[in-house]
Amino acid sequence: TATPTETPAPQIVAGTAPGFPPFEIKEDGELTGFDVELFEAIVAETEYEFGGWREFEFDALIPALRDERIDAIAAAMTITDERDQVIDFSDPYYSADQSVIVLEGGDFVPESLDDLSGRMVGVQEGTTGEGVVDTQLIEEGKLQESNKRVYGNYTLAVQDLENGNIDAIVLDQPVGATFADQRDVTVAFVYETGERYGFGVRQNDSARQQAINDGLAAVRDNGTYEELRNEWFGS
Ligand code: GLN
């Protein structure tokens, strides 16, 4: 007689890009943060087995998802039309605008994007923050391409800002506020974009998309979402 074989539960291997506090953080070698805890709680509500985390630079997440190195992206990723052409998204789980951060106590205190003209501005590659710099400043002729400094990770940009190598950084407002708490930087102003974050899944992977949406609804209903929001944002 044939030995009964167990069919392994289908998996969700998740990809993220640490260095984006408080959403994804590497602390003493441990991956944590709002997205990390929220996504694990969501998968626990589904019939999928959590297959662990893989870490990438933000810009490498969509290629990794498409190549099936990961099954989902949990990386404070804004749902955009451009991304929606190549991957699918869950329902939105967080809202954010952009912000501009500068050195705390420094001479440069911009009040609007126009004030960034002629300055050195840092962004993380492939982000909506980079999109704001491209469309609102460079394409408008207010900033030279050479005045944009592109980093693989915002943490490196913050170091460069503290060292005086750049004048400002454009990044998601909740992350700008967190860096302002932790580092020698301050939020100069907020630039409203009305972005919404979603978890990425492969195009036409409607099974995982549906499971994640149902899991998200479940953690909203059972209070876990609110608990994590309080834990990581205090609101
Ligand atoms: N929300 C921004 C984007 O989607 C930044 C995300 C990130 O850097 N992790 O581009």
Side-chain angles (χ1 to χ4, degrees):
T1 55
T3 351
T5 50
E6 247 180 73
T7 319
Q11 282 204 344
I12 295 183
V13 175
T16 193
F20 203 63
F23 294 97
E24 25 275 341
I25 305 165
K26 204 71 186 279
E27 231 171 40
D28 306 322
E30 289 284 318
L31 190 63
T32 185
F34 177 72
D35 280 346
V36 172
E37 292 196 7
L38 176 63
F39 194 71
E40 288 183 14
I42 287 171
V43 176
E45 296 289 335
T46 72
E47 75 273 27
Y48 286 88
E49 190 180 294
F50 184 63
W53 292 98
R54 305 283 183 278
E55 296 170 25
F56 299 87
E57 288 197 338
F58 182 74
D59 202 38
L61 284 165
I62 288 180
L65 179 63
R66 289 168 54 95
D67 289 353
E68 306 196 12
R69 282 174 282 157
I70 52 177
D71 303 307
I73 297 171
M77 186 176 276
T78 301
I79 302 168
T80 66
D81 289 341
E82 201 187 335
R83 292 172 181 158
D84 212 17
Q85 314 274 312
V86 290
I87 63 170
D88 285 337
F89 282 100
S90 72
D91 293 333
Y93 68 90
Y94 201 85
S95 303
D97 293 310
Q98 292 293 305
S99 64
V100 171
I101 62 171
V102 297
L103 197 62
E104 187 167 27
D107 295 335
F108 182 49
V109 188
E111 288 171 2
S112 69
L113 287 180
D114 281 1
D115 291 343
L116 300 182
S117 285
R119 297 287 180 156
M120 286 301 301
V121 181
V123 290
Q124 180 180 292
E125 186 163 24
T127 56
T128 48
E130 182 180 24
V132 167
V133 169
D134 288 345
T135 60
Q136 307 303 309
L137 290 171
I138 295 175
E139 285 167 28
E140 296 293 319
K142 293 172 181 166
L143 197 77
Q144 301 288 314
E145 183 75 43
S146 57
N147 281 37
K148 176 177 93 172
R149 195 160 287 178
V150 181
Y151 299 86
N153 189 282
Y154 270 121
T155 307
L156 299 171
V158 170
Q159 260 165 39
D160 251 9
L161 184 59
E162 288 174 332
N163 293 337
N165 295 327
I166 55 175
D167 300 305
I169 298 171
V170 181
L171 80 174
D172 296 30
Q173 187 277 333
V175 181
T178 305
F179 279 130
D181 283 344
Q182 300 174 349
R183 309 284 294 258
D184 296 331
V185 299
T186 187
V187 177
F189 64 93
V190 170
Y191 178 75
E192 272 177 42
T193 51
E195 293 170 57
R196 298 182 315 160
Y197 298 165
F199 300 111
V201 293
R202 255 183 305 284
Q203 225 161 24
N204 304 319
D205 186 358
S206 50
R208 284 189 183 80
Q209 185 185 35
Q210 189 60 53
I212 291 168
N213 284 341
D214 291 346
L216 176 59
V219 298
R220 282 192 195 275
D221 284 347
N222 70 19
T224 302
Y225 179 92
E226 210 190 321
E227 242 171 65
L228 291 176
R229 232 183 130 112
N230 284 331
E231 179 187 340
W232 291 99
F233 299 95
S235 67

